[in-house]
Amino acid sequence: MSLFRYLLPLPLLALLPFANATAANKSFVGGGGMVRLSYASSLTPTRNFAGRPLMNSGWRQMWDGTPVGRGVGIVRFWQVAKPTDGQGQVTEMIQVGFSRSAGVVATCGTEGLVSGHAKRLPNRMLGGHRWTVYTNGDAGMSQQVNATNFRSVINGACYAIDRVTYAVKAAAPASRNAPTQAVAAARMDAILATIKVGGRR
């Protein structure tokens, strides 16, 4: 840790993503210190949880039209990429949010996930906790969205991780400098693998 970090007031320090020992990755802490993850230094964490066609805005993804419910978006990462099929552009994305609302917590593992396109996958261990996992998707006109949705109740709160692929075939091609879809997807999957909920262990 650099001397600069020791000189920062603690409130400011808590807000800053900080560099890992490896220069290629950074670490992020959010949700009151309850969520920790690592991400490629080429990516930027954001609190913008705006929606898109076929994809609701908010702290978690809902697939059956029900309201997103009271909750807080912690972080979203996304990257525009050149699609594997070469048409338009694709955005690879991952977001994390949580809620302490009693109603949300009570139905955390199923609410908004059981739609006509849903498929229940085996539970998955992630960061030392067991997560309920569904895949979901939708398509219309030139857009298509596919997602893997993770839900878990940890320390009395409902946590949501949504790993999303959003393709627009009619969009202008991604920029020449954009990564391939495989590279962007690998960066999001790498973030997923590092997520830990529940504070420092």
Side-chain angles (χ1 to χ4, degrees), residues 24-26 38-46 76-80 92 94 179 183-184 186-191:
N25 292 296
K26 293 183 178 180
S38 296
Y39 64 95
S41 58
S42 58
L43 301 174
T44 302
T46 177
R76 175 187 275 184
F77 294 89
W78 57 273
Q79 189 163 45
V80 176
E92 296 289 347
I94 189 167
V183 167
R187 287 172 180 162
M188 301 303 141
D189 293 339
I191 292 172

Side-chain angles (χ1 to χ4, degrees), residues 60-61 108-109 113 131-132 149-152 159-162:
R60 63 174 173 172
Q61 289 304 297
C108 182
L113 298 176
W131 296 75
T132 300
N149 309 109
F150 301 80
R151 302 290 185 268
S152 187
Y159 285 86
I161 303 171
D162 297 301

Side-chain angles (χ1 to χ4, degrees), residues 172-194:
S175 71
R176 217 169 76 181
N177 295 328
T180 64
Q181 183 175 353
V183 167
R187 287 172 180 162
M188 301 303 141
D189 293 339
I191 292 172
L192 176 64
T194 69

Side-chain angles (χ1 to χ4, degrees), residues 119-130:
K119 181 181 178 183
R120 178 79 153 82
L121 299 183
N123 290 345
R124 178 169 168 181
M125 293 299 295
L126 185 65
H129 296 284
R130 188 179 303 277

Side-chain angles (χ1 to χ4, degrees), residues 3 18 29 35 74 80 94 140 143 146 148-149 171 174 176 192:
L3 179 61
F18 52 94
V29 181
V35 173
I74 296 172
V80 176
I94 189 167
Q143 293 96 2
N146 293 289
T148 305
N149 309 109
R176 217 169 76 181
L192 176 64

